[in-house]
C-alpha cells in the first residue's frame, strides 16, 4: 500500500469514526441555554401537560415512540421518525401496528424502557380518574399487547387515516416501575411527578414554580448526548419582562418576538431572529345564534348575506399592516398556511367598501338620521365585539375593525374581558361577535371541533354555533380519506364553503420569529414544537458566558 | 395595654371573617371557570372539564362549597390549587416568604429613606432643599408603582444592564458559589423591585415625618435644648425625632396593605414569584381555593401589622394614653 493510499484510508476511517459518534462528534459540547418563558409549566405530568410550556419541558424529558417528520404529514406514517421505537410494522388490515423498542433506551434512573411502559402509559392516558385532556386521541385504540419486553402491539378497532399520528403524537411512555404503585387519582400531584424520571435527551434537575425549571443533558441518552449541557426555562409573567430578559442578554431564546420587540433588536446587539412557520390565525367570529336563546338565529348574524356584506366592508390588509407591520399575513380561511391541507388558491371575499354599502342598503340597512350609522325599521345596525384583555394584537385589531365598521355605518361597541371571562362568555355563546385566535395542530382534524355544526363529535369549540352542511360533509369526507390528494381536495371544498358563508372575518396569520442569542446555533424550528430539535442546538465554546460554566448537575 | 391587645385581636378576627366571606361571595359572581384556560384545546373533550370540576367540588352549590371550605379551613386545610396541581398550603409556603422579604426590605428602605428625607426637610425648612425634596416626594406619591417598575426594568435592567431584569437569582454554577456570593446575588436581584416598592413608602413617610417634626420643633423643650447650645442635628436627632416618630410608625401599619397590593404588579413585572404574582395568576385562572387563601393571608398580615403598629406606637409614644400626666 503506497503512502497516499494509507493516508486516504486513515482519513476515511477517521471520518467513519466521527460519523459513528453522532452528536458526540461535536466534541466541545456544553453551555446552558436560558429560555425566556412567558408562563410556567402547569405540570410535568405528560397526560396533563397541555400548555405550550408544559409540553416543551415534558417532551424534552420524555421521548415518544416516534415523532412527526419535518413535512408535518399526519396521514399514515409517512415521514415519521423513530424515537423510542426503532421501527414499526403494520398488519395487513392496518388494524395492528407493532412497535419494536430501541434496546438501548433507558429511563434516567438507568432502567430499560420496556413495552410495559407503553402499555402503562396508555392505561393512564385513558383512565378518566387521571383526567388526561387529550384522551380523545386514543378513541380508535382498542388495546396494547406486549408479546415481549421490547415489543408493543397496538390494536385499533377501526382504521382511520390519522390513527398512527394520533397515537404516537400524543402518547408518551411513562416509567411504570416508578408510577404504577401510585393511585391514578393521586398521580397528578405525586412527588414522583414533580421530579420526573424520563427517557428523553434532557433530565430533570429542579423546578422552582413560577420562577425556573432546570434540565441537564442526559449523558447516557441512547441517541447520543445532547450538545447543550443544560436548559433553563426562566419564567416571567409580564410580556415586556420576557422580551427584556432576552434583549438584555440574560436569556438566550424567546419563542416568539412581539412586533414592538423588533425595534429594540439593534440596540441589544446580541439577538438575532429565527423565522419558522406558525400554526396561529386570528379572526372576528360572528355568533349566528341568539345570545340568550340558542334555538333562535342571531338577529343580525343569522343572515349570511349580512355577514358577507360586513366582511366585504373590512380592509384586512390594512388592519394586518397596522397591527403587525410585515409580521403577519391576512388569513385565508379556517386554517393556517403551515397546515399541510392549507390552500392558498381559495377565493376570499374581497374588500370593497362601496359594494358592502350597496349590499347593506339592499338588505334594508340604510343610513339613519344621524348620517353615520345604519338602521332598519328603527333598529340600529349595532353589535358588541368581545375582546380578551390579555391579547394586545386582538385589542388593536378590534379598535381598527370598529373604525372600519363605522365607515360603512355599523356601530360596534368593544367589550373587554379577562381571558377566563372571555372563554366563559364564548363557551356559553353570550356574545354578538368576538375576537378569536387559534393555535392549530399539524392535524387538520381540529377544524371540525371549531367550525363544525355543534353536535355530538363535532363543534365542541364552535362558539359562534355556525352550521353549514356542505362544510360538515366535506370535512367528514376529508378526514375519512386516506390519500393526501383526496384529503386536500375535500378540504378545499370545505374551506371555500366556510369562506363564502362567512362565519367569521379571517383576519391574520402571524409570522413566527424567535429571538435567539447570537452565540446559540439553533437547528430548524418545527412549527408545532420549536423545542423538537433542541438536543442538536449548540453554543460555541468561544462564546461561553460565566453562566455556562456550571458543574454537571447530579442525576 | 392588655385591653388594647384584646380589642385589636377581636377587631382583627371580625375583619378576617368579613373579608373571607365577602371574597367568597364576590367570586361567585365572577364569570369564568377554574379549568377554562388550562383545558381549552380543540382536542379536549368537554367532558374532561366537567370531570375536573366535579373532582374538586366546583359543581356543588355555592353555599355547600362555602360550608365545606370553612369547615376545611377550621381544620387547617386550605384546599387544592388546581392551576398549579399542588396543595394551596404548599404554594403559599413557597410564595409568602418571598413576598415578606420583598415587602420587608421595601418597608425598611422606604422608612429609613423617608425619615432621613423628612429630617433633611425639617432641618432646611422653607429653603430650596426643602422645596426640592418636597417636589420629589410629591412625585414619589403620585407616580404609579407599575410605571416606575416598567421604567426601572427597561432602563436600569434591559438597557443599561445595571441590575437583572427579573428572577430570584442569577443562572450559573450556584453550587460553586460561597454563601456570601449567593446572598449578594440574591440582594442584587431584590434591589430593583424592592427599591421601586420603597419609593412610595419613602415619599409618604417623608411628608409625614416632615410635618410631625415641624410640629414638634415648636415645643418648649426643643427651645430649651437649643438654648443649652445643642447643634441643630443633635436637637433633631435626640429630641425632636423620638417625639415625632409615633405618627410615622402608625403610617407604616397603614402602608403594609397597600405595599402587599403594590407587590402584585411589581412581582409580575420583575418575575418575583411571591404572593402577589401567585394571587394574580390565581385570579386569571379562577383558582378559587388559592384566591381565598391568599386573600385571607394578606388580610391577616395587614390586620396583624396594624395591630402590632398600634402596640409599638404605644410603647414609643406613651403620652397619648397617659393623658399627658
Amino acid at each position: 500500500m503506497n503512502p497516499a493510499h494509507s493516508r486516504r484510508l486513515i482519513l476515511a476511517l477517521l471520518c467513519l469514526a466521527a460519523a459513528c459518534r453522532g452528536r458526540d462528534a461535536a466534541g466541545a459540547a456544553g453551555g446552558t441555554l436560558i429560555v425566556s418563558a412567558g408562563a410556567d409549566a402547569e405540570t410535568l405530568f405528560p397526560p396533563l401537560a397541555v400548555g405550550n410550556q408544559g409540553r416543551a419541558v415534558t417532551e424534552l424529558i420524555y421521548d415518544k415512540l416516534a415523532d412527526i417528520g419535518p413535512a408535518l404529514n399526519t396521514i399514515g406514517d409517512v415521514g415519521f421518525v423513530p424515537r423510542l421505537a426503532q421501527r414499526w410494522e403494520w398488519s395487513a388490515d392496518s388494524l395492528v401496528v407493532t412497535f419494536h423498542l430501541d434496546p438501548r433506551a433507558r429511563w434516567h434512573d438507568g432502567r430499560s424502557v420496556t413495552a410495559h411502559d407503553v402499555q402503562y402509559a396508555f392505561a393512564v392516558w385513558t383512565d378518566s380518574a387521571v383526567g388526561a385532556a387529550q384522551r380523545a386521541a386514543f378513541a380508535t385504540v382498542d388495546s396494547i399487547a406486549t408479546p415481549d419486553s421490547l415489543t408493543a402491539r397496538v390494536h385499533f378497532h377501526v382504521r382511520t387515516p390519522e390513527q398512527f399520528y394520533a397515537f404516537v403524537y400524543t402518547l408518551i411512555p411513562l416509567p411504570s416501575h416508578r408510577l404504577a404503585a401510585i393511585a391514578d387519582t393521586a398521580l397528578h400531584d405525586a412527588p414522583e411527578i414533580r421530579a420526573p424520571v424520563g427517557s428523553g435527551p434532557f433530565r430533570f434537575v429542579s423546578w422552582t414554580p413560577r420562577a425556573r425549571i432546570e434540565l441537564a443533558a442526559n449523558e447516557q441518552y441512547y441517541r447520543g448526548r445532547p450538545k447543550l449541557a443544560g436548559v433553563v426555562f426562566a419564567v416571567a409573567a409580564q410580556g415586556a419582562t420576557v422580551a427584556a430578559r432576552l434583549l438584555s442578554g440574560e436569556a438566550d431564546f424567546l419563542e416568539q418576538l412581539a412586533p414592538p420587540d423588533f425595534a429594540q433588536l439593534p440596540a441589544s446587539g446580541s439577538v438575532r431572529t429565527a423565522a419558522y412557520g406558525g400554526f396561529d390565525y386570528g379572526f372576528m367570529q360572528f355568533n349566528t345564534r341568539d345570545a340568550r336563546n340558542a334555538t333562535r338565529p342571531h338577529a343580525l348574524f343569522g343572515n349570511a348575506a349580512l355577514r358577507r356584506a360586513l366582511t366585504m366592508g373590512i380592509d384586512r390588509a390594512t388592519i394586518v399592516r397596522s397591527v403587525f407591520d410585515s409580521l403577519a399575513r391576512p388569513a385565508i380561511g379556517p386554517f393556517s398556511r403551515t397546515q399541510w391541507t392549507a390552500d392558498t388558491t381559495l377565493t376570499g371575499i374581497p374588500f370593497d367598501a362601496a359594494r358592502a354599502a350597496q349590499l347593506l342598503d339592499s338588505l334594508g340597512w340604510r343610513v339613519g338620521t344621524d348620517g353615520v350609522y345604519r338602521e332598519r325599521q328603527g333598529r340600529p345596525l349595532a353589535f358588541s365585539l368581545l375582546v380578551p384583555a390579555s391579547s394586545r394584537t386582538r385589542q388593536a385589531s378590534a379598535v381598527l375593525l370598529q373604525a372600519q365598521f363605522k365607515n360603512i355605518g355599523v356601530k360596534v361597541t368593544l367589550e373587554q374581558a379577562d381571558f377566563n371571562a372571555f372563554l366563559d362568555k364564548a363557551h356559553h355563546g353570550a356574545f354578538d361577535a368576538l375576537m378569536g385566535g387559534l393555535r392549530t395542530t399539524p392535524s387538520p382534524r381540529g377544524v371540525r371541533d371549531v367550525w363544525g355544526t355543534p353536535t355530538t363529535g363535532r363543534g365542541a369549540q364552535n362558539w359562534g354555533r355556525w352550521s353549514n352542511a356542505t362544510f360538515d360533509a366535506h370535512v367528514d369526507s376529508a378526514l375519512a380519506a386516506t390519500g393526501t390528494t383526496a384529503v386536500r381536495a375535500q378540504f378545499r371544498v370545505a374551506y371555500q364553503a366556510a369562506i363564502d358563508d362567512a362565519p367569521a372575518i379571517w383576519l391574520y396569520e402571524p409570522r413566527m420569529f424567535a429571538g435567539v442569542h447570537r452565540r446559540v446555533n439553533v437547528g430548524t424550528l418545527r412549527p408545532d414544537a420549536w423545542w423538537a430539535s433542541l438536543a442538536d442546538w449548540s453554543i460555541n465554546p468561544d462564546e461561553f458566558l460565566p453562566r455556562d460554566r456550571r458543574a454537571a448537575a447530579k442525576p | 395595654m392588655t385591653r388594647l391587645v384584646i380589642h385589636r385581636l377581636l377587631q382583627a378576627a371580625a375583619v378576617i371573617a368579613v373579608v373571607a366571606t365577602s371574597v367568597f361571595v364576590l367570586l361567585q359572581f365572577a364569570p369564568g371557570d377554574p379549568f377554562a384556560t388550562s383545558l381549552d384545546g380543540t382536542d379536549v373533550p368537554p367532558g374532561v372539564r366537567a370531570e375536573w370540576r366535579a373532582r374538586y367540588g366546583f359543581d356543588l352549590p355555592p353555599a355547600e362549597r362555602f360550608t365545606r371550605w370553612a369547615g376545611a379551613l377550621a381544620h387547617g386545610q386550605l384546599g387544592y390549587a388546581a392551576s398549579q396541581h399542588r396543595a394551596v398550603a404548599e404554594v403559599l409556603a413557597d410564595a409568602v416568604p418571598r413576598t415578606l422579604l420583598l415587602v420587608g426590605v421595601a418597608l425598611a428602605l422606604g422608612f429609613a429613606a423617608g425619615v432621613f428625607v423628612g429630617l433633611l426637610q425639617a432641618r432646611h425648612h422653607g429653603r430650596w432643599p426643602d422645596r426640592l425634596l418636597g417636589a420629589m416626594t410629591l412625585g414619589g406619591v403620585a407616580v404609579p408603582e407599575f410605571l416606575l417598575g416598567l421604567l426601572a426594568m427597561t432602563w436600569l435592567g434591559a438597557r443599561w444592564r445595571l441590575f437583572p431584569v427579573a428572577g430570584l437569582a442569577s443562572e450559573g454554577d450556584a453550587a460553586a458559589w460561597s454563601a456570601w456570593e449567593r446572598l449578594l446575588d440574591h440582594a442584587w436581584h431584590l434591589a430593583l423591585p424592592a427599591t421601586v416598592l420603597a419609593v412610595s413608602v419613602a415619599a409618604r413617610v417623608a411628608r409625614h415625618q416632615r410635618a410631625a417634626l415641624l410640629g414638634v420643633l415648636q415645643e418648649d423643650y426643643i427651645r430649651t435644648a437649643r438654648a443649652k447650645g445643642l447643634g441643630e442635628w443633635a436637637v433633631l436627632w435626640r429630641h425632636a425625632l423620638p417625639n415625632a416618630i409615633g405618627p410615622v410608625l402608625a403610617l407604616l401599619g397603614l402602608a403594609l396593605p397597600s405595599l402587599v397590593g403594590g407587590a402584585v404588579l411589581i412581582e409580575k413585572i420583575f418575575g418575583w414569584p411571591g404572593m402577589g404574582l401567585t394571587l394574580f395568576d390565581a385570579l386569571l385562572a379562577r383558582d378559587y381555593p388559592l384566591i381565598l387563601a391568599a386573600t385571607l393571608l394578606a388580610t391577616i398580615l395587614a390586620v396583624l401589622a396594624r395591630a402590632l403598629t398600634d402596640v409599638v406606637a404605644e410603647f414609643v409614644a406613651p403620652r397619648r394614653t397617659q393623658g399627658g400626666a
Side-chain angles (χ1 to χ4, degrees):
Chain A
M1 188 181 286
N2 68 38
H5 282 150
S6 301
R7 276 198 298 274
R8 275 202 289 273
L9 182 63
I10 291 166
L11 195 64
L13 287 171
L14 284 173
C15 288
L16 186 65
C20 289
R21 283 203 304 272
R23 287 203 180 92
D24 290 346
T32 301
L33 181 89
I34 312 290
V35 178
S36 187
D40 197 7
E42 66 277 48
T43 173
L44 299 184
F45 187 38
L48 301 180
V50 289
N52 220 32
Q53 223 56 253
R55 271 190 64 211
V57 178
T58 52
E59 290 182 12
L60 291 172
I61 296 174
Y62 295 91
D63 257 0
K64 297 176 176 178
L65 289 169
D67 209 354
I68 196 167
L72 301 177
N73 166 63
T74 59
I75 302 290
D77 63 358
V78 178
F80 279 79
V81 291
R83 287 291 180 263
L84 286 173
Q86 261 182 335
R87 60 192 170 84
W88 54 87
E89 66 226 17
W90 293 84
S91 64
D93 60 3
S94 299
L95 285 173
V96 180
V97 60
T98 304
F99 291 97
H100 299 279
L101 303 188
D102 192 324
R104 300 169 301 165
R106 296 280 183 281
W107 295 106
H108 296 158
D109 60 5
R111 297 276 290 265
S112 293
V113 177
T114 68
H116 184 64
D117 297 321
V118 180
Q119 193 179 43
Y120 170 73
F122 174 68
V124 167
W125 235 281
T126 51
D127 186 348
S128 62
V130 174
Q134 289 145 325
R135 66 172 182 259
F138 306 112
T140 60
V141 180
D142 183 71
S143 60
I144 295 180
T146 54
D148 61 58
S149 67
L150 291 177
T151 309
R153 189 163 290 155
V154 182
H155 294 264
F156 295 88
H157 55 71
V158 62
R159 276 185 312 191
T160 62
E162 290 193 328
Q163 68 192 76
F164 187 84
Y165 158 80
F167 182 76
V168 301
Y169 194 76
T170 310
L171 188 94
I172 291 175
L174 299 168
S176 57
H177 64 284
R178 297 182 76 93
L179 305 179
I182 303 167
D184 286 352
T185 48
L187 269 174
H188 59 93
D189 65 346
E192 289 82 354
I193 295 303
R194 298 195 61 75
V197 167
S199 55
F202 292 90
R203 59 185 169 74
F204 174 83
V205 176
S206 66
W207 183 12
T208 307
R210 298 305 194 257
R212 65 192 289 280
I213 299 172
E214 183 177 352
L215 310 178
N218 174 10
E219 302 287 336
Q220 273 74 48
Y221 188 48
Y222 63 103
R223 298 178 56 239
R225 71 177 163 86
K227 291 175 182 171
L228 293 168
V231 182
V232 173
F233 288 81
V235 181
Q238 176 80 8
T241 312
V242 177
R245 250 188 174 153
L246 176 76
L247 297 167
S248 68
E250 283 178 41
D252 299 307
F253 183 83
L254 174 57
E255 173 189 355
Q256 186 181 7
L257 290 167
D261 301 333
F262 282 83
Q264 298 178 49
L265 288 182
S268 102
S270 60
V271 178
R272 63 187 169 84
T273 60
Y276 64 115
F279 273 117
D280 297 356
Y281 69 95
F283 49 86
M284 192 202 92
Q285 186 171 19
F286 299 110
N287 192 352
T288 61
R289 311 303 298 177
D290 189 285
R292 290 190 181 81
N293 182 355
T295 60
R296 290 197 312 238
H298 190 277
L300 297 175
F301 305 134
N303 184 339
L306 179 66
R307 297 198 302 265
R308 279 196 294 272
L310 294 179
T311 304
M312 193 174 280
I314 296 303
D315 181 1
R316 297 177 303 136
T318 299
I319 291 177
V320 172
R321 208 168 39 249
S322 302
V323 176
F324 295 93
D325 200 322
S326 58
L327 300 174
R329 292 174 285 191
I332 301 169
F335 56 86
S336 79
R337 286 174 173 83
T338 311
Q339 284 181 299
W340 68 272
T341 53
D343 191 332
T344 54
T345 63
L346 296 167
T347 310
I349 297 174
F351 166 59
D352 186 341
R355 177 81 183 120
Q358 284 173 5
L359 285 172
L360 291 173
D361 282 341
S362 69
L363 291 168
W365 296 102
R366 298 182 184 283
V367 176
T369 49
D370 62 1
V372 180
Y373 294 113
R374 293 170 184 274
E375 57 186 41
R376 187 172 70 179
Q377 294 163 356
R379 183 202 160 98
L381 182 50
F383 64 90
S384 72
L385 178 55
L386 183 62
V387 190
S390 54
S391 169
R392 277 187 295 177
T393 51
R394 286 194 238 178
Q395 284 182 59
S397 303
V399 170
L400 295 172
L401 277 168
Q402 186 184 38
Q404 292 199 11
F405 276 126
K406 186 179 177 185
N407 290 340
I408 56 170
V410 183
K411 185 172 187 176
V412 177
T413 310
L414 301 186
E415 183 191 353
Q416 281 204 20
D418 80 81
F419 193 56
N420 207 307
F422 170 86
L423 285 177
D424 191 63
K425 283 172 175 274
H427 279 299
H428 290 97
F431 65 95
D432 288 329
L434 61 75
M435 293 299 295
L438 273 182
R439 173 160 293 182
T440 60
T441 63
S443 166
R445 179 171 293 271
V447 78
R448 185 155 66 175
D449 291 316
V450 181
W451 302 104
T453 299
T455 180
T456 308
R458 71 170 80 240
Q461 300 260 325
N462 184 351
W463 297 329
R465 294 169 290 186
W466 171 67
S467 175
N468 183 298
T470 308
F471 177 83
D472 290 343
H474 285 278
V475 167
D476 286 347
S477 299
L479 295 177
T482 49
T484 53
T485 311
V487 174
R488 282 180 201 273
Q490 294 292 342
F491 267 118
R492 179 179 167 77
V493 181
Y495 291 155
Q496 189 64 61
I499 293 168
D500 293 344
D501 207 25
I505 300 176
W506 316 109
L507 289 174
Y508 53 81
E509 272 184 62
R511 299 172 197 266
M512 300 290 280
F513 285 94
V516 188
H517 196 287
R518 289 190 187 281
R519 72 204 187 99
V520 181
N521 305 306
V522 299
T524 305
L525 301 176
R526 217 173 73 189
D528 64 316
W530 58 260
W531 57 88
S533 64
L534 205 140
D536 294 320
W537 295 15
S538 62
I539 295 174
N540 186 347
D542 296 338
E543 296 180 80
F544 274 5
L545 299 172
R547 66 173 181 245
D548 291 307
R549 287 183 274 277
R550 65 175 65 202
K554 293 177 180 61
Chain B
M1 177 59 74
T2 311
R3 274 185 62 192
L4 176 76
V5 171
I6 292 170
H7 182 70
R8 285 285 186 263
L9 285 176
L10 286 175
Q11 250 186 355
V15 168
I16 289 163
V18 168
V19 168
T21 312
S22 310
V23 171
F24 188 92
V25 171
L26 284 172
L27 283 175
Q28 305 313 309
F29 293 103
D33 183 294
F35 303 104
T37 49
S38 59
L39 295 174
D40 179 47
T42 54
D43 46 1
V44 181
V48 171
R49 199 157 37 236
E51 281 169 17
W52 278 97
R53 285 178 61 83
R55 180 177 296 182
Y56 294 108
F58 291 115
D59 56 342
L60 297 172
E64 191 175 340
R65 266 193 287 149
F66 183 74
T67 315
R68 281 190 179 196
W69 175 73
L73 190 65
H75 289 89
Q77 292 165 359
L78 296 173
Y80 187 74
S83 63
Q84 297 199 28
H85 290 288
R86 293 198 292 164
V88 168
E90 202 183 321
V91 174
L92 293 181
D94 278 347
V96 170
R98 294 183 191 131
T99 295
L100 287 180
L101 177 67
L102 175 65
V103 168
V105 170
L107 209 57
L109 273 177
F111 182 70
V115 168
F116 180 67
V117 171
L119 278 169
L120 269 180
Q121 285 187 272
R123 171 72 179 82
H124 301 286
H125 175 52
R127 282 178 282 160
W128 69 265
D130 181 27
R131 286 196 289 273
L132 177 68
L133 290 170
M136 286 171 69
T137 56
L138 191 63
V141 172
V143 176
E145 277 159 352
F146 77 89
L147 183 63
L148 209 56
L150 281 172
L151 287 172
M153 187 266 287
T154 305
W155 289 98
L156 300 175
R159 292 280 171 92
W160 299 336
R161 302 183 187 186
L162 299 173
F163 293 95
V165 167
L168 293 167
S170 298
E171 295 300 338
D173 193 2
W177 296 350
S178 67
W180 179 241
E181 283 172 321
R182 279 200 291 270
L183 186 70
L184 273 181
D185 181 64
H186 203 47
W188 189 46
H189 280 75
L190 183 64
L192 268 193
T195 306
V196 169
L197 263 183
V199 166
S200 70
V201 178
R204 285 191 173 85
V205 166
R207 296 181 74 78
H208 278 77
Q209 189 63 82
R210 174 185 179 274
L213 281 168
L214 291 179
V216 168
L217 286 173
Q218 307 302 318
E219 298 288 339
D220 290 344
Y221 58 88
I222 296 291
R223 201 172 304 122
T224 307
R226 282 181 179 140
K228 282 181 176 174
L230 278 178
E232 195 58 25
W233 275 112
V235 169
L236 276 169
W237 190 252
R238 283 189 216 157
H239 297 281
L241 187 61
N243 290 295
I245 201 88
V248 177
L249 279 174
L251 180 74
L252 284 186
L254 293 172
L256 193 72
S258 63
L259 259 188
V260 172
V264 174
L265 288 174
I266 294 303
E267 287 181 4
K268 187 167 158 56
I269 290 168
F270 291 100
W272 188 266
M275 207 166 74
L277 188 58
T278 301
L279 183 58
F280 188 88
D281 288 345
L283 280 166
L284 291 185
R286 302 292 191 273
D287 193 334
Y288 301 131
L290 188 50
I291 296 170
L292 283 164
T295 313
L296 202 61
L297 197 62
T299 311
I300 291 170
L301 282 176
V303 167
L304 285 181
R306 178 74 200 277
L308 192 67
T309 310
D310 285 352
V311 174
V312 170
E314 280 301 313
F315 278 110
V316 175
R319 285 178 306 155
R320 200 170 53 145
T321 51
Q322 289 167 5

